[in-house]
Short mmCIF file of all heavy atoms in Angstrom, two decimals:
data_model
loop_
_atom_site.label_atom_id
_atom_site.label_comp_id
_atom_site.label_asym_id
_atom_site.label_seq_id
_atom_site.Cartn_x
_atom_site.Cartn_y
_atom_site.Cartn_z
N LYS A 28 -5.08 -67.93 -39.21
CA LYS A 28 -4.62 -68.56 -40.45
C LYS A 28 -5.43 -68.05 -41.62
O LYS A 28 -6.64 -67.77 -41.45
CB LYS A 28 -4.73 -70.05 -40.38
CG LYS A 28 -3.69 -70.69 -39.48
CD LYS A 28 -2.45 -70.92 -40.31
CE LYS A 28 -1.44 -71.72 -39.51
NZ LYS A 28 -0.24 -71.95 -40.29
N PRO A 29 -4.92 -68.02 -42.82
CA PRO A 29 -5.74 -67.66 -43.95
C PRO A 29 -6.80 -68.68 -44.16
O PRO A 29 -6.59 -69.84 -44.06
CB PRO A 29 -4.73 -67.66 -45.17
CG PRO A 29 -3.55 -68.31 -44.62
CD PRO A 29 -3.52 -68.24 -43.14
N THR A 30 -8.05 -68.17 -44.43
CA THR A 30 -9.18 -69.03 -44.56
C THR A 30 -9.11 -69.84 -45.89
O THR A 30 -8.97 -69.28 -46.90
CB THR A 30 -10.49 -68.18 -44.58
OG1 THR A 30 -10.52 -67.37 -43.39
CG2 THR A 30 -11.71 -69.07 -44.62
N ARG A 31 -9.17 -71.15 -45.73
CA ARG A 31 -9.11 -71.99 -46.96
C ARG A 31 -10.52 -72.36 -47.37
O ARG A 31 -11.43 -72.60 -46.55
CB ARG A 31 -8.32 -73.29 -46.64
CG ARG A 31 -7.00 -73.06 -46.02
CD ARG A 31 -6.03 -72.47 -46.90
NE ARG A 31 -4.77 -72.25 -46.31
CZ ARG A 31 -3.66 -72.61 -46.78
NH1 ARG A 31 -3.58 -73.25 -47.91
NH2 ARG A 31 -2.50 -72.35 -46.10
N ARG A 32 -10.80 -72.33 -48.69
CA ARG A 32 -12.14 -72.62 -49.19
C ARG A 32 -12.34 -74.15 -49.08
O ARG A 32 -11.54 -74.92 -49.60
CB ARG A 32 -12.19 -72.16 -50.63
CG ARG A 32 -13.56 -72.48 -51.24
CD ARG A 32 -13.65 -71.93 -52.61
NE ARG A 32 -14.87 -72.36 -53.24
CZ ARG A 32 -16.09 -71.86 -52.97
NH1 ARG A 32 -16.16 -70.85 -52.13
NH2 ARG A 32 -17.14 -72.23 -53.60
N SER A 33 -13.36 -74.59 -48.48
CA SER A 33 -13.69 -75.96 -48.32
C SER A 33 -14.67 -76.37 -49.37
O SER A 33 -15.36 -75.52 -50.04
CB SER A 33 -14.31 -76.26 -46.90
OG SER A 33 -15.43 -75.43 -46.76
N HIS A 34 -14.74 -77.66 -49.65
CA HIS A 34 -15.72 -78.13 -50.67
C HIS A 34 -17.11 -78.03 -50.17
O HIS A 34 -17.42 -78.17 -49.01
CB HIS A 34 -15.41 -79.59 -51.02
CG HIS A 34 -14.05 -79.78 -51.61
ND1 HIS A 34 -13.72 -79.38 -52.81
CD2 HIS A 34 -12.91 -80.32 -51.03
CE1 HIS A 34 -12.46 -79.69 -53.10
NE2 HIS A 34 -11.91 -80.27 -52.04
N ARG A 101 -13.58 -69.26 -55.97
CA ARG A 101 -13.17 -67.93 -55.68
C ARG A 101 -12.01 -67.41 -56.60
O ARG A 101 -11.12 -68.26 -56.86
CB ARG A 101 -12.69 -67.84 -54.22
CG ARG A 101 -12.33 -66.44 -53.78
CD ARG A 101 -11.98 -66.46 -52.26
NE ARG A 101 -11.65 -65.11 -51.81
CZ ARG A 101 -11.25 -64.87 -50.53
NH1 ARG A 101 -11.13 -65.85 -49.70
NH2 ARG A 101 -10.94 -63.65 -50.19
N GLU A 281 -2.53 -63.37 -47.22
CA GLU A 281 -3.50 -64.41 -46.94
C GLU A 281 -4.32 -64.74 -48.16
O GLU A 281 -4.60 -65.89 -48.49
CB GLU A 281 -4.44 -64.00 -45.85
CG GLU A 281 -3.69 -63.92 -44.44
CD GLU A 281 -4.60 -63.45 -43.37
OE1 GLU A 281 -5.74 -63.05 -43.66
OE2 GLU A 281 -4.20 -63.54 -42.16
N VAL A 284 -1.98 -66.88 -50.43
CA VAL A 284 -1.87 -68.24 -49.95
C VAL A 284 -3.20 -69.01 -50.19
O VAL A 284 -3.18 -70.22 -50.61
CB VAL A 284 -1.53 -68.29 -48.43
CG1 VAL A 284 -1.60 -69.66 -47.86
CG2 VAL A 284 -0.15 -67.69 -48.21
N ALA A 285 -4.34 -68.36 -50.02
CA ALA A 285 -5.59 -68.94 -50.29
C ALA A 285 -5.73 -69.35 -51.79
O ALA A 285 -6.51 -70.22 -52.13
CB ALA A 285 -6.75 -68.09 -49.85
N SER A 286 -5.03 -68.60 -52.66
CA SER A 286 -5.11 -68.88 -54.09
C SER A 286 -4.12 -70.04 -54.50
O SER A 286 -4.06 -70.28 -55.67
CB SER A 286 -4.80 -67.64 -54.86
OG SER A 286 -5.72 -66.58 -54.58
N GLY A 287 -3.39 -70.58 -53.54
CA GLY A 287 -2.48 -71.61 -53.88
C GLY A 287 -1.07 -71.21 -53.95
O GLY A 287 -0.17 -72.05 -54.30
N TRP A 288 -0.79 -69.98 -53.66
CA TRP A 288 0.58 -69.48 -53.71
C TRP A 288 1.41 -70.00 -52.58
O TRP A 288 0.99 -69.91 -51.39
CB TRP A 288 0.52 -67.93 -53.69
CG TRP A 288 1.89 -67.27 -53.66
CD1 TRP A 288 3.00 -67.53 -54.39
CD2 TRP A 288 2.27 -66.16 -52.79
NE1 TRP A 288 4.05 -66.70 -54.11
CE2 TRP A 288 3.59 -65.86 -53.11
CE3 TRP A 288 1.62 -65.45 -51.79
CZ2 TRP A 288 4.29 -64.85 -52.45
CZ3 TRP A 288 2.29 -64.46 -51.15
CH2 TRP A 288 3.61 -64.11 -51.52
N GLU A 317 4.29 -69.67 -39.96
CA GLU A 317 3.85 -69.80 -41.33
C GLU A 317 4.87 -70.55 -42.21
O GLU A 317 4.50 -71.41 -43.00
CB GLU A 317 3.55 -68.42 -41.96
CG GLU A 317 2.27 -67.84 -41.52
CD GLU A 317 1.08 -68.58 -42.07
OE1 GLU A 317 0.89 -68.52 -43.32
OE2 GLU A 317 0.33 -69.22 -41.35
N SER A 320 4.64 -74.21 -41.27
CA SER A 320 3.43 -74.89 -41.74
C SER A 320 3.48 -75.07 -43.24
O SER A 320 2.88 -76.06 -43.78
CB SER A 320 2.21 -74.08 -41.37
OG SER A 320 2.19 -72.83 -41.97
N LEU A 321 4.07 -74.18 -44.01
CA LEU A 321 4.12 -74.22 -45.45
C LEU A 321 5.37 -75.02 -45.95
O LEU A 321 5.54 -75.20 -47.13
CB LEU A 321 4.12 -72.87 -46.07
CG LEU A 321 2.80 -72.06 -45.87
CD1 LEU A 321 2.95 -70.65 -46.42
CD2 LEU A 321 1.61 -72.75 -46.54
#
Side-chain angles (χ1 to χ4, degrees):
K28 285 275 188 179
T30 305
R31 309 290 179 129
R32 178 175 174 79
S33 59
H34 297 290
R101 187 176 179 181
E281 292 179 351
V284 172
S286 300
W288 174 48
E317 282 291 292
S320 64
L321 294 174

